[in-house]
Amino acid sequence: MNLDAYQIDPSIYDEMFLQDGTPREHCRPLYEGLSRLSAEELSSIQERVTRSFSNEGISFTVYGDEEGEERIIPVDCLPRVLTAAEWRLLERGLAQRVKTLNLFLQDVYNEARILDDGVIPVDVVRECPKYRMEMRGFSAPHGTWVGICGTDLIRTNDGFRVLEDNLQVPSGVSYMLANRKAVKTSLRRLYRSSHVQEVENYGRLLLTTLLELAPGGRSEPCIALLTPGVYNSAFYEHIFLARELGAELVEGRDLLVNNGFVYMRTTTGLRRVDVIYRRVDDDYLDPLVFRPDSLLGVPGLLHAYKLGNVVLVNAPGTGVADDKSVYAYVPAMIRYYLGEEAVLPNVETYLCRHPPDLEYTLDNLASLVVKRVGESGGYGMIIGPHATQKERDEYAVQLRANPADFISQPVLALSRSPCLIDDNFEPRHVDLRPFVLHGQETRMVPGAFCRVALRRGSLVVNSSQGGGGKDLWVLRD
Amino acid sequence: MLARSAQGLYWMGRYLERAEFLCRLLRLQTEALVDRPIREIHFGWTRIYNGINRQPSGGSLEPMGSDDFTLADSYTLADDLTFERLNPSSVRSCFVMGRENARQMRHCISGELWTCINLAHLKIQKLTIQDIWAASPESFYAETAAEMNTFSGVAAATMYRDEGWRFMQLGRFIERAQLSTSLFLSQLAAAAQLSEHSDADWTSLLRLYHAFDAYNHSYSVEVHPDKVLDLLATDPLLPDSLCRSLDRTVSDIASIGPGPNAKVSGAAQRLAGRTAALIHYEWPDREDRAELLQRVREYCQELHQLVTATYFDYSVDDLPSR
């Protein structure tokens, strides 16, 4: 099928093509392979990929839908391709970042040197709703607050940038693996000849990481994955990971704390749990400490954690490090703790809590993207150029009322990648979320959940907002 | 294993068994619509509804005396038993519940089994009674029953024989034993109301259990209701016989073990044994089969409650932890 009609916009980085329309060197085999396929063949490949998701029930739930309705995440059959060298850069940058964020969390809940030294303003941290007073004075086992990190990266003509870190309950890794499985079996020959690095051992790396973090002296640590339950949007992923880990998938009601130890109800009685890979937000983890109305958590869980009798991954309180305001200071943190420059730069960010930044944001609302610091998933944000004057005016009122709740960033030209839309190749904006595992050492699989804004012109890649996924191929050298 | 996971697998086994059983019944019943007399069709519907202890939400179980009325009623009754969302015993409802348990426990079942159940679910979700009625409803029921048999085959071929497997099997066989006793009781009650006995009422029961040939080999082509029931209840070689279902509950509970609580330890095991013994050792000498079947049904209900109390909903007070 011919890619000649594919439109290149020189102001936007294209993952497959150079600005003159010729394919990038590392994408040439894929380009040529796709060119050899007829429209019917490609269409049937896309249909096969979509059907495999539906057959296997790879679904997510959108909040606000009829209770618990399962939706199949849209997936595009054309992979996005990165070179081994590009991947090494990301790997280096992400390892640096996760190491720093763990040092920051250890510091900020203890001596708080970084605040005393004025690198980050005290109010940015202390007023952050995700800063947990309950964690003050606590040292996470092996210094690992964040054992699993999903960082969102974008690419522009200036290179890769970090859009945000997800340090509480990052999700999406199951889609990375599902996309790979569906796409590689549908593009069999192309996949084989492309020499793509494997991602399949993610489950084993995750298990290794969790075992490294288990409390000492336990010969066969028991691992459980704590899910909020079947109505959670990522329930499919929880099931998937429990299977990969060979762990029990538990809900709060399956666990109880007795004498400072955590137990789960099994068919043969109570069994001690050593490591909990929790996919429940801080707020709901322990009704004795956080939200008292939580039915999803386990009373006494935080106490058991602080005693060192169970390990929670990720630790409660990590949200302060992925807060959208604190994000702005990560490059400074890297400099402060490691004495290095950030390998992967941030997106320029204005903190509306600072009056000059607020003024700048209000004056330039039409060209900025403004986000609420406490929201995620594409909710609570406004993309200035895509909004109406009325929407911007309404948003400005909220901004003035609570400036500390907002940050703003320039609208970046996220890179685009060819997608098969209605049997044609069309460019769509993409980002990527690689996953970093951090136990006693740092591990990554060469892959990521690559998200696509499937609506023409849209920059929002979240699956809850019309986004989909595609496979990411990291080539071997 | 986690008590809630075991419970999910147990219920998955029960729901899918119920859906399969109902499909087999409906297949026979819709086949009968082609050429059987109205009286027999009426007998069939009554047997099904009493067997699942339900009153139809539309249509009538009374014989209307004309083909048109009978077919119209049959359409409504089949819809009620197959697709009605408000009927918790309809094929669709049982299937949705079975699949939902499978979805929540899919980390405990094989990927092959999950895919198989999910595919069948996707198919049945799209169908209505109109879709299956015009052409050949019996083919739909036959295919759906075959798909459910495939679940058992795929599960047997792919699943690790751990506790999860045992609980799934236990659910299936307790359900099967309960359904069979209810159906036999319903058959006896419906037959007692009729002034004359019809062979077809009993041969259809044999066919439901794939036992028609076995009956001919063991007895004769002459149909004796007592002998039909003997075969279906006590033949150890018949795959779905009542004694086989009860024997499986005994062996499944034995391999699962006594459970955490010393106070109720072994109670489920003993009750399962007693229930199976009723069929093995009392049946041959008893005249009143209905009374015995009634006891088996009650024991099965009690067994379900004991299994739940022993393994799933036990009290954690005074339990040792490990």
Side-chain angles (χ1 to χ4, degrees):
Chain A
M1 197 173 147
N2 199 328
L3 280 112
D4 292 347
Y6 182 80
Q7 288 183 340
I8 311 268
D9 177 347
S11 68
I12 301 172
Y13 186 93
D14 193 283
E15 296 289 337
M16 188 183 254
F17 295 99
L18 296 164
Q19 291 184 352
D20 64 5
T22 56
R24 296 179 187 281
E25 196 50 41
H26 66 279
C27 292
R28 190 169 286 282
L30 177 65
Y31 169 81
E32 286 168 357
L34 293 176
S35 306
R36 279 194 295 272
L37 292 171
S38 68
E40 290 73 30
E41 283 170 320
L42 264 170
S43 168
S44 91
I45 286 169
Q46 177 61 57
E47 200 259 323
R48 212 156 52 222
V49 167
T50 304
R51 199 177 51 225
S52 78
F53 267 53
S54 159
N55 289 353
E56 296 207 15
I58 300 170
S59 58
F60 69 104
T61 312
V62 175
Y63 299 119
D65 267 10
E66 194 182 324
E67 195 168 299
E69 190 190 326
E70 294 170 57
R71 283 206 209 171
I72 301 299
I73 190 164
V75 52
D76 179 71
C77 69
L78 306 181
R80 172 182 175 183
V81 187
L82 294 184
T83 64
E86 285 171 327
W87 182 255
R88 280 193 293 272
L89 172 80
L90 299 185
E91 212 171 26
R92 202 154 55 84
L94 291 169
Q96 178 195 51
R97 202 162 172 103
V98 171
K99 188 176 175 187
T100 302
L101 292 167
N102 273 302
L103 290 169
F104 167 70
L105 285 160
Q106 179 63 28
D107 184 23
V108 85
Y109 283 117
N110 289 279
E111 300 89 354
R113 285 187 298 116
I114 197 164
L115 306 185
D116 288 347
D117 291 341
V119 179
I120 303 178
V122 175
D123 57 342
V124 169
V125 170
R126 293 283 156 81
E127 286 174 20
C128 169
K130 290 185 281 183
Y131 178 80
R132 301 289 179 187
M133 291 298 283
E134 299 83 358
M135 301 312 293
R136 285 180 72 172
F138 178 74
S139 289
H142 308 287
T144 299
W145 291 72
V146 177
I148 299 148
C149 166
T151 294
D152 292 339
L153 301 170
I154 56 166
R155 172 142 70 175
T156 66
N157 277 328
D158 298 327
F160 287 103
R161 282 173 190 276
V162 176
L163 189 62
E164 68 177 15
D165 303 290
N166 294 283
L167 306 178
Q168 299 174 79
V169 286
S171 64
V173 75
S174 59
Y175 301 124
M176 166 183 90
L177 295 162
N179 287 343
R180 172 60 55 87
K181 189 176 165 196
V183 169
K184 83 172 175 185
T185 49
S186 301
L187 292 172
R188 304 164 64 86
R189 287 175 60 187
L190 253 176
Y191 184 80
R192 185 161 186 88
S193 60
S194 296
H195 307 291
V196 181
Q197 297 191 46
E198 284 300 333
V199 293
E200 265 167 10
N201 64 337
Y202 178 81
R204 287 175 58 192
L205 294 186
L206 176 60
L207 182 60
T208 308
T209 303
L210 295 175
L211 288 173
E212 276 179 2
L213 296 172
R218 299 284 289 166
S219 58
E220 284 180 37
C222 170
I223 297 177
L225 194 153
L226 178 62
T227 172
V230 66
Y231 296 117
N232 185 268
S233 68
F235 183 72
Y236 162 74
E237 177 154 303
H238 304 164
I239 288 268
F240 176 90
L241 290 173
R243 182 180 200 93
E244 288 280 301
L245 291 169
E248 290 291 356
L249 182 69
V250 298
E251 295 180 16
R253 58 188 162 136
D254 299 317
L255 300 178
L256 59 98
V257 176
N258 190 12
N259 287 330
F261 292 91
V262 181
Y263 297 94
M264 65 179 173
R265 295 170 61 100
T266 73
T267 52
T268 50
L270 298 181
R271 182 176 178 199
R272 186 176 153 189
V273 179
D274 301 289
V275 180
I276 298 178
Y277 174 14
R278 57 100 174 192
R279 297 293 298 256
V280 171
D281 288 339
D282 283 4
D283 274 343
Y284 300 98
L285 262 184
D286 182 346
L288 297 184
V289 184
F290 303 118
R291 277 180 63 155
D293 59 338
S294 169
L295 299 174
L296 304 176
V298 187
L301 183 59
L302 194 71
H303 176 62
Y305 177 52
K306 285 185 167 179
L307 289 175
N309 294 334
V310 70
V311 170
L312 295 174
V313 183
N314 292 337
T318 49
V320 67
D322 70 11
D323 177 82
K324 287 184 168 65
S325 299
V326 175
Y327 156 88
Y329 295 94
V330 175
M333 280 181 209
I334 294 173
R335 234 171 278 128
Y336 181 76
Y337 292 116
L338 304 182
E340 299 169 7
E341 286 304 310
V343 175
L344 297 168
N346 267 16
V347 176
E348 194 178 358
T349 302
Y350 305 97
L351 303 184
C352 299
R353 61 170 53 245
H354 299 151
D357 286 10
L358 174 64
E359 284 316 306
Y360 177 82
T361 302
L362 288 168
D363 291 347
N364 296 281
L365 211 47
S367 62
L368 294 171
V369 51
V370 190
K371 300 175 180 173
R372 272 187 185 274
V373 292
E375 299 273 6
S376 60
Y379 294 102
M381 62 185 259
I382 187 169
I383 300 175
H386 296 181
T388 63
Q389 185 60 44
K390 183 164 174 280
E391 286 167 336
R392 287 197 291 264
D393 291 345
E394 284 168 4
Y395 208 84
V397 174
Q398 299 176 38
L399 249 170
R400 282 199 187 87
N402 292 301
D405 287 353
F406 296 89
I407 57 127
S408 67
Q409 294 169 332
V411 178
L412 294 177
L414 265 63
S415 65
R416 300 195 303 189
S417 189
C419 293
L420 198 64
I421 309 282
D422 299 331
D423 295 339
N424 291 311
F425 291 114
E426 288 189 23
R428 289 290 183 270
H429 293 289
V430 290
D431 78 350
L432 78 160
R433 178 180 291 179
F435 294 87
V436 187
L437 300 169
H438 184 81
Q440 293 181 33
E441 56 184 90
T442 305
R443 300 178 176 88
M444 288 177 75
V445 293
F449 177 33
C450 175
R451 301 187 298 175
V452 192
L454 286 169
R455 290 190 203 126
R456 185 194 294 262
S458 169
L459 291 168
V460 184
V461 293
N462 307 78
S463 46
S464 53
Q465 311 261 333
K470 55 168 55 241
D471 194 13
L472 178 82
W473 289 4
V474 178
L475 305 181
R476 289 186 216 129
D477 270 330
Chain B
M1 81 184 297
L2 192 71
R4 194 172 46 78
S5 301
Q7 192 171 21
L9 294 170
Y10 172 82
W11 276 110
M12 182 186 105
R14 289 200 72 147
Y15 279 120
L16 294 178
E17 181 66 25
R18 204 178 296 177
E20 193 259 349
F21 189 77
L22 205 50
C23 278
R24 272 161 50 197
L25 276 168
L26 286 164
R27 177 194 177 175
L28 276 180
Q29 186 63 11
T30 46
E31 274 173 2
L33 294 179
V34 178
D35 59 354
R36 305 310 299 169
I38 291 173
R39 191 207 63 81
E40 230 173 83
I41 293 169
H42 161 66
F43 181 91
W45 287 122
T46 310
R47 180 171 64 187
I48 297 177
Y49 271 95
N50 290 344
I52 61 169
N53 195 22
R54 178 178 165 80
Q55 289 298 313
S57 58
S60 169
L61 290 178
E62 297 304 316
M64 299 302 285
S66 101
D67 269 5
D68 287 345
F69 276 122
T70 302
L71 289 177
D73 274 334
S74 294
Y75 175 89
T76 313
L77 297 173
D79 189 22
D80 180 49
L81 290 171
T82 311
F83 295 108
E84 178 54 56
R85 289 169 201 271
L86 298 176
N87 173 8
S89 301
S90 73
V91 174
R92 189 212 297 264
S93 297
C94 291
F95 200 72
V96 165
M97 292 303 293
R99 186 262 184 186
E100 184 55 25
N101 277 290
R103 180 167 87 96
Q104 295 189 29
M105 302 304 149
R106 65 193 270 188
H107 58 300
C108 304
I109 61 176
S110 66
E112 291 85 349
L113 177 59
W114 160 253
T115 307
C116 192
I117 292 174
N118 195 45
L119 279 174
H121 174 255
L122 291 172
K123 189 174 116 187
I124 200 170
Q125 282 301 88
K126 292 181 195 143
L127 291 175
T128 65
I129 190 74
Q130 290 97 322
D131 299 321
I132 68 163
W133 203 258
S136 164
E138 58 273 26
S139 307
F140 163 77
Y141 293 117
E143 281 165 22
T144 310
E147 273 169 0
M148 308 225 181
N149 283 330
T150 309
F151 302 159
S152 312
V154 169
T158 56
M159 274 185 65
Y160 196 60
R161 298 305 198 261
D162 57 4
E163 243 188 320
W165 162 265
R166 294 282 167 216
F167 276 105
M168 198 173 90
Q169 297 298 311
L170 181 61
R172 278 182 69 195
F173 289 108
I174 288 185
E175 182 68 32
R176 190 181 288 181
Q178 250 179 318
L179 288 167
S180 288
T181 45
S182 294
L183 188 75
F184 297 165
L185 281 164
S186 171
Q187 172 92 13
L188 287 170
Q193 283 175 2
L194 297 171
S195 50
E196 56 188 89
H197 143 86
S198 159
D199 280 2
D201 298 337
W202 293 90
T203 51
S204 65
L205 193 64
L206 284 171
R207 274 205 291 273
L208 181 74
Y209 282 83
H210 315 292
F212 191 72
D213 293 341
Y215 183 87
N216 286 345
H217 288 146
S218 304
Y219 300 100
S220 70
V221 288
E222 247 178 83
V223 176
H224 297 286
D226 279 351
K227 287 179 180 165
V228 171
L229 277 185
D230 278 346
L231 181 84
L232 300 183
T234 63
D235 190 333
L237 303 182
L238 189 69
D240 290 352
S241 70
L242 184 55
C243 74
R244 270 184 74 99
S245 301
L246 294 172
D247 287 346
R248 286 297 304 267
T249 62
V250 173
S251 61
D252 285 329
I253 293 178
S255 53
I256 287 167
N261 196 326
K263 285 181 193 157
V264 291
S265 172
Q269 175 77 60
R270 291 194 296 277
L271 182 60
R274 272 204 300 281
T275 316
L278 285 180
I279 298 300
H280 283 299
Y281 304 122
E282 291 212 25
W283 181 278
D285 303 326
R286 287 292 282 268
E287 291 281 311
D288 189 351
R289 264 66 195 274
E291 195 273 333
L292 194 64
L293 285 168
Q294 191 65 40
R295 270 172 67 197
V296 172
R297 185 161 69 173
E298 285 162 13
Y299 278 13
C300 285
Q301 283 162 353
E302 213 179 305
L303 187 58
H304 163 73
Q305 283 157 4
L306 260 182
V307 165
T308 304
T310 306
Y311 302 108
F312 311 144
D313 290 341
Y314 56 83
S315 159
V316 294
D317 300 337
D318 310 323
L319 271 190
S321 347
R322 64 189 169 86

